[in-house]
Amino acid sequence: MSVLKSKATSSLLRSEKKSLRRFLTLYILLVMMVISTLGILYYQTHKELVLSEKRADLAKYAYIQTRRLKVLHHFFDERTDYPRDPRFRSAIYDIEYKQIFSLLKNQSVDFQQEIYFKDGVIQFVKSMDIFYLGAKYLIIEIDDGGEWHDHLIKKILGYGSLALFLFIFFGYYLAKLFVKPMRDSIMLLDRFIKDTTHELNTPLSAILANIEMMDTSVMVEKNKQKLNRINIAAKTVSVLYKDLTYLTLEQEKEYENERIEIEELLYDRLEYFRVLAQSKGLSYEMDIHHAEIIMDRRKLTRVIDNLLSNAIKYNKRKGIVGIRLREGSLEIWDTGVGISEEEKILMFDRYRRFNETEGGFGIGLSIVKKILDEYSIKIEVFSKKDEGTRMVLKW
């Protein structure tokens, strides 16, 4: 069976997006760590290479300066001028690292290293075997223009960015392959639901129409109870059928917004669900005032039906279904099983079910959220395990 891509599945589900986002975030962080580590290693290697190249020149300068110090040391009574050279600067220190004379631009000397970069200069430390002029250490210093540094940083950033872009592209391709089996399964399920919905239409309409037309006044009590149970089952299936129809067909239709008096629609839907509520011994606690909203009637009906249906299905026997309507807000609450904080995060995900005791595909609340988002209606969920759930809509 071929799988067609419907509008409902053309965008990634929230759980798919979450998985994809987590995978890509982790993948990109790892790639950035690897690229950064390689960049640092490359920089350090190149830096050592530059110092290695300078070491030969500075050792030669140190040798020249040592010879000049030797001459000055032997003829110090006749000459007192410290030897200078335009190619480098120098300084001499005694064995306790005290400065004897210095021409250095950077006076901070690290005697633990032989050659190093420091604040725009390269310093070379030579330990002398003979203490000319009392000096144990000779420091040779030259300027470091930093051209190699700027060139190297640009090179690392350029190649690093290119590598990161290629790895992200590769990672995104891998992630799509990773979620493809999940996506195919969902699309297959969508197609199955769509085909099933078409087949349910005629028999379900016939059942509901015939129940309405039956004359219960001539029935014996036993048959009335049987008919009542058929009516409950048919209406349960009817809600599910309308959700499936909306999911596969109606949401693609042009919507028609109109001003709706919500209390009238609420009373109508409460009457529709009255038989279901009675079957569990539930009672309504209503605090309904006049309120209006501009919305597509079919969509508002789907929202109210799903919230009422859930409040009835997941309620305890002889529990309460509460409805509070004010201008700008609608609350529907129950005294049912409730859900945990962890489950609340995923409760609007499609095909997500937290209670297997009741039937359904787990699509009702995903439809509710989708419709509410279309009209920028906020929904707040307050729920506590084994105490009940309160849904609050605000517009």
Side-chain angles (χ1 to χ4, degrees):
M1 184 171 75
S2 63
V3 179
L4 297 178
K5 196 173 187 179
S6 71
K7 184 177 179 181
T9 55
S10 61
S11 58
L12 289 173
L13 291 174
R14 185 179 169 185
S15 56
E16 287 180 81
K17 287 181 180 176
K18 197 173 180 180
S19 299
L20 191 62
R21 196 162 47 239
R22 283 181 176 176
F23 172 81
L24 283 176
T25 302
L26 183 61
Y27 176 82
I28 290 172
L29 284 176
L30 287 174
V31 167
M32 289 178 71
M33 285 175 62
V34 171
I35 291 176
S36 298
T37 303
L38 290 175
I40 292 171
L41 289 175
Y42 182 75
Y43 177 84
Q44 292 295 343
T45 302
H46 196 84
K47 182 179 174 183
E48 292 299 324
L49 186 62
V50 172
L51 285 177
S52 178
E53 291 174 353
K54 296 292 184 185
R55 181 181 281 107
D57 291 337
L58 294 174
K60 184 178 73 176
Y61 296 155
Y63 175 74
I64 295 170
Q65 190 68 4
T66 302
R67 291 183 59 187
R68 290 172 177 168
L69 290 174
K70 180 180 177 182
V71 172
L72 181 63
H73 178 79
H74 287 295
F75 299 97
F76 193 72
D77 293 338
E78 302 169 13
R79 306 177 190 174
T80 56
D81 292 338
Y82 184 83
R84 292 168 171 76
D85 193 302
R87 295 171 294 179
F88 60 87
R89 296 176 293 277
S90 67
I92 51 177
Y93 287 77
D94 66 13
I95 196 169
E96 295 179 346
Y97 309 119
K98 289 183 179 175
Q99 186 186 94
I100 298 173
F101 187 84
S102 177
L103 295 172
L104 300 181
K105 184 187 292 183
N106 188 340
Q107 299 295 330
S108 176
V109 178
D110 184 357
F111 293 94
Q112 305 304 315
Q113 298 189 69
E114 182 187 18
I115 184 168
Y116 53 88
F117 292 98
K118 189 140 190 183
D119 299 333
V121 300
I122 301 175
Q123 291 184 338
F124 178 78
V125 179
K126 177 178 172 57
S127 175
M128 295 190 294
D129 297 328
I130 301 174
F131 291 28
Y132 297 122
L133 301 175
K136 170 62 178 174
Y137 298 101
L138 169 64
I139 315 302
I140 302 296
E141 180 186 88
I142 60 172
D143 290 323
D144 172 34
E147 293 83 5
W148 68 271
H149 176 272
D150 296 340
H151 176 72
L152 191 60
I153 292 296
K154 286 179 183 174
K155 194 174 178 182
I156 290 173
L157 289 177
Y159 283 111
S161 300
L162 179 63
L164 181 62
F165 174 76
L166 291 175
F167 275 109
I168 289 175
F169 178 77
F170 183 65
Y172 183 74
Y173 178 73
L174 281 180
K176 295 287 281 184
L177 284 180
F178 174 70
V179 299
K180 189 174 184 304
M182 188 194 313
R183 166 165 285 279
D184 287 347
S185 298
I186 292 173
M187 290 171 66
L188 192 64
L189 182 59
D190 274 356
R191 180 56 187 268
F192 169 76
I193 291 172
K194 194 170 186 176
D195 293 343
T196 306
T197 305
H198 280 294
E199 298 300 323
L200 278 174
N201 185 21
T202 303
L204 186 58
S205 299
I207 291 169
L208 289 170
N210 279 284
I211 290 173
E212 292 294 327
M213 288 189 294
M214 291 184 79
D215 186 1
T216 56
S217 61
V218 297
M219 287 184 180
V220 296
E221 190 58 31
K222 190 176 179 180
N223 287 339
K224 282 184 180 177
Q225 291 178 0
K226 288 179 180 177
L227 182 63
N228 197 42
R229 286 197 287 272
I230 294 171
N231 194 16
I232 291 169
K235 287 191 172 178
T236 302
V237 175
S238 175
V239 173
L240 179 60
Y241 168 78
K242 287 173 181 173
D243 279 346
L244 293 173
T245 303
Y246 177 83
L247 190 68
T248 56
L249 300 172
E250 288 195 6
Q251 68 169 334
E252 296 178 21
K253 294 180 180 176
E254 290 290 328
Y255 58 84
E256 298 173 0
N257 287 338
E258 59 179 299
R259 186 175 297 277
I260 303 171
E261 293 184 354
I262 304 174
E263 69 272 22
E264 287 185 9
L265 184 60
L266 260 179
Y267 284 126
D268 177 63
R269 303 323 294 166
L270 286 169
E271 177 60 23
Y272 181 82
F273 286 107
R274 182 180 52 81
V275 179
L276 290 177
Q278 285 178 347
S279 70
K280 295 187 75 171
L282 304 177
S283 58
Y284 290 139
E285 189 173 301
M286 296 184 285
D287 181 11
I288 298 176
H289 288 225
H290 176 76
E292 294 182 347
I293 190 170
I294 297 175
M295 197 171 169
D296 183 277
R297 183 174 290 273
R298 292 167 302 171
K299 294 185 177 181
L300 181 57
T301 304
R302 296 270 33 83
V303 171
I304 292 174
D305 277 9
N306 273 294
L307 296 183
L308 285 176
S309 174
N310 283 345
I312 294 170
K313 277 198 300 184
Y314 301 112
N315 215 324
K316 297 172 184 173
R317 294 195 68 78
K318 297 185 179 179
I320 300 172
V321 174
I323 304 102
R324 183 178 186 276
L325 177 65
R326 293 287 187 276
E327 195 65 64
S329 74
L330 169 63
E331 297 180 27
I332 296 179
W333 53 272
D334 62 70
T335 52
V337 294
I339 57 174
S340 64
E341 287 297 318
E342 293 77 18
E343 291 171 335
K344 275 167 59 177
I345 299 171
L346 303 171
M347 66 184 296
F348 294 109
D349 280 7
R350 198 160 143 195
Y351 304 132
R352 183 72 64 173
R353 296 177 59 203
F354 301 107
N355 192 320
E356 302 296 331
T357 59
E358 300 290 340
F361 292 99
I363 57 175
L365 285 179
S366 73
I367 292 174
V368 169
K369 187 68 167 64
K370 186 175 176 60
I371 293 172
L372 295 181
D373 287 346
E374 279 182 48
Y375 288 91
S376 300
I377 299 173
K378 293 182 181 177
I379 180 167
E380 294 178 330
V381 181
F382 305 91
S383 187
K384 199 166 183 180
K385 206 77 174 172
D386 299 324
E387 290 188 11
T389 302
R390 179 185 297 270
M391 300 281 199
V392 182
L393 310 186
K394 290 182 179 177
W395 62 92

